Amino acid sequence: MSGTIALMTHLQPQIYVPKVQFTHWVLLMVDLPVLILMGIQLGKLHTRLRQQRVQLKEAVSRLHDLATHDDLTGLNNRNHMSDMLAHYKRRHEECGEPFSVALIDLDHFKRINDSHGHAVGDEVLKAFARQASDTLRQIDLIARWGGEEFLVLCPQTTPDQALIGLERLRLAFTKTMVSCTVPDLRASFSVGLTAPDHTDETIEGTIARADAALYVAKHAGRNRTCVQSPVARATA
């Protein structure tokens, strides 16, 4: 700009009056550093806003995780699973899409806590969560239902089909090292498995039948799966 002003003042002094152009040049020299500083500040502000957006997105994601997942195991929590159960129950009622529900209870978990302490018990819970996540299908939903009890929702699956994956998980878990603190410790679980029937049964009723099947599995010797078949659709 300085060179252009000087050149035009030299070539056409009658149009580009030297005193006026000098005044313009002085104003330019005064304003330019201010504009540069403003640009730098705006750049910093843009970077800060971008960082804040990223932090806000991470905070929202974290809040969502806290609201929907169990803090210890990282699995879905009971509230979120209840929402998922209601969703799949509606799909079942509206279009007949099957799903299965399994209640899982870790065998002799109280004995593990009493013998080795709650820290080891927490290790066992987390070991089960990892094994279940690795073994079951990606579409299967797993939740910590309470204490040492878990609920598995198997979409688009009959109890006979769900049984295959659950038995694979049960056998794998008995061989899993569940605690780094007590490397020789092994654990097992019992399963009650069912599916919604074709009556007006609520989802709570379906879970109650899975719980009844779990009770049978426990009293039959534990480390096994008991299947309770849903009520068949009535025919005319």
Side-chain angles (χ1 to χ4, degrees):
M1 287 295 295
S2 298
T4 301
I5 290 172
L7 178 63
M8 298 308 295
T9 300
H10 175 72
L11 295 176
Q12 298 179 337
Q14 66 278 16
I15 299 175
Y16 298 97
V17 180
K19 288 184 178 181
V20 174
Q21 296 308 312
F22 178 74
T23 302
H24 290 167
W25 181 83
V26 170
L27 291 174
L28 177 64
M29 292 301 101
V30 171
D31 291 343
L32 188 60
V34 175
L35 293 173
I36 291 174
L37 288 174
M38 288 178 62
I40 293 173
Q41 292 301 318
L42 286 173
K44 290 180 178 179
L45 179 61
H46 180 71
T47 300
R48 189 180 305 116
L49 288 174
R50 185 168 61 248
Q51 292 172 342
Q52 288 175 347
R53 282 198 299 269
V54 171
Q55 291 170 352
L56 179 60
K57 187 180 295 185
E58 291 174 348
V60 170
S61 177
R62 177 60 178 161
L63 286 174
H64 179 267
D65 285 343
L66 289 173
T68 59
H69 289 76
D70 175 62
D71 190 47
L72 176 66
T73 63
L75 299 177
N76 296 300
N77 61 25
R78 184 168 182 145
N79 286 339
H80 185 54
M81 178 58 85
S82 295
D83 292 339
M84 293 298 99
L85 286 164
H87 169 74
Y88 281 96
K89 176 65 172 175
R90 285 194 299 270
R91 290 172 65 103
H92 175 72
E93 292 172 342
E94 292 169 2
C95 57
E97 181 179 297
F99 69 93
S100 296
V101 175
L103 275 179
I104 295 176
D105 189 79
L106 301 186
D107 296 328
H108 303 297
F109 187 73
K110 184 177 184 302
R111 184 185 302 172
I112 293 174
N113 275 336
D114 292 343
S115 300
H116 304 287
H118 289 277
V120 172
D122 287 348
E123 287 184 297
V124 174
L125 293 172
K126 289 188 283 188
F128 171 82
R130 287 193 301 270
Q131 188 67 59
S133 299
D134 291 343
T135 304
L136 297 176
R137 302 173 304 171
Q138 288 187 347
I139 64 171
D140 293 331
L141 302 174
I142 317 162
R144 187 179 180 193
W145 198 242
E148 70 273 21
E149 194 170 67
F150 300 84
L151 188 146
V152 179
L153 191 161
C154 303
Q156 304 170 15
T157 308
T158 65
D160 288 342
Q161 294 167 334
L163 180 63
I164 298 172
L166 290 167
E167 281 296 283
R168 184 166 60 246
L169 171 60
R170 186 179 64 82
L171 294 174
F173 187 62
T174 59
K175 303 173 185 177
T176 299
M177 186 178 77
V178 294
S179 170
C180 294
T181 307
V182 188
D184 294 333
L185 179 65
R186 294 295 179 270
S188 64
F189 61 78
S190 303
V191 187
L193 173 63
T194 192
D197 61 23
H198 295 287
T199 67
D200 294 331
E201 178 184 66
T202 64
I203 192 63
E204 290 78 14
T206 303
I207 295 171
R209 288 193 294 105
D211 192 46
L214 174 61
Y215 179 85
V216 173
K218 286 283 190 181
H219 283 265
R222 294 183 170 84
N223 190 23
R224 65 193 64 217
T225 301
C226 178
V227 181
Q228 184 176 99
S229 298
V231 177
R233 185 187 299 274
T235 57

